[in-house]
Amino acid sequence: MFAHGFSKGGLQALTNVLYHLAEHPERYLQPLRDEVEELVTRQGWTKAALRDMIKIDSFIRKSERFNGLSSLIMTRKVMNPKGFTFSNGVHLPIDSIVSVANYATHHNEVHYPDANTFDGFRFSSICEASRGFDAI
């Protein structure tokens, strides 16, 4: 553990968020500040206000998606002596190791159009459209 309860992964994620913010302050700094000021003025520093900070949430999520901490995640080892059989019939014997391709999935144009371009508000635009929010 590092200072203030951050794990190495959490500290790296925070560092990446700050790098993205520093890279384009003209695009992100004022809208993020406006969102916080608006919501804290209306709701105070509450869970509800934090929940409604969709631009900040989008920015952090996009940074995590864009950078990731590893090319492979969710590594698991089959411990059952009988192995494991997926619903499609693929069988993994005991001691098999399986992972999810993090980088390949998150940088795939099929899943994320323009996947290799950082757009900190990509997810907030989707959220605002689905929830009927006006841009804050």
Side-chain angles (χ1 to χ4, degrees):
M1 295 294 285
F2 288 84
H4 306 290
F6 275 109
S7 67
K8 182 178 180 183
L11 192 57
Q12 183 62 50
L14 177 61
T15 301
N16 288 333
V17 166
L18 294 175
Y19 282 152
H20 285 294
L21 186 57
E23 186 177 24
H24 295 289
E26 72 287 350
R27 177 154 187 231
Y28 298 112
L29 191 58
Q30 197 59 50
L32 293 172
R33 180 177 286 157
D34 291 346
E35 178 179 65
V36 171
E37 287 177 356
E38 164 84 19
L39 290 167
V40 170
T41 298
R42 277 195 288 132
Q43 301 176 26
W45 280 105
T46 62
K47 286 183 182 182
L50 292 174
R51 181 196 62 228
D52 291 343
M53 292 181 188
I54 59 175
K55 286 185 178 165
I56 289 181
D57 180 67
S58 173
F59 193 87
I60 293 169
R61 286 176 41 200
K62 179 60 177 187
S63 180
E64 290 175 355
R65 184 203 70 81
F66 194 77
N67 296 293
L69 296 176
S70 175
S71 60
L72 296 174
I73 59 171
M74 295 175 44
T75 301
R76 300 292 185 262
K77 181 177 181 179
V78 177
M79 304 297 288
N80 189 324
K82 295 179 181 179
F84 179 83
T85 304
F86 289 95
S87 60
N88 66 356
V90 172
H91 180 76
L92 300 175
I94 188 170
D95 294 330
S96 295
I97 297 175
V98 64
S99 296
V100 174
N102 184 40
Y103 184 88
T105 301
H106 286 152
H107 289 267
N108 185 326
E109 295 282 331
V110 171
H111 302 293
Y112 297 96
D114 204 17
N116 293 311
T117 301
F118 183 82
D119 176 4
F121 295 148
R122 176 190 305 248
F123 298 121
S124 67
S125 300
I126 295 167
C127 184
E128 287 169 351
S130 70
R131 292 169 81 179
F133 284 129
D134 291 328
I136 294 175

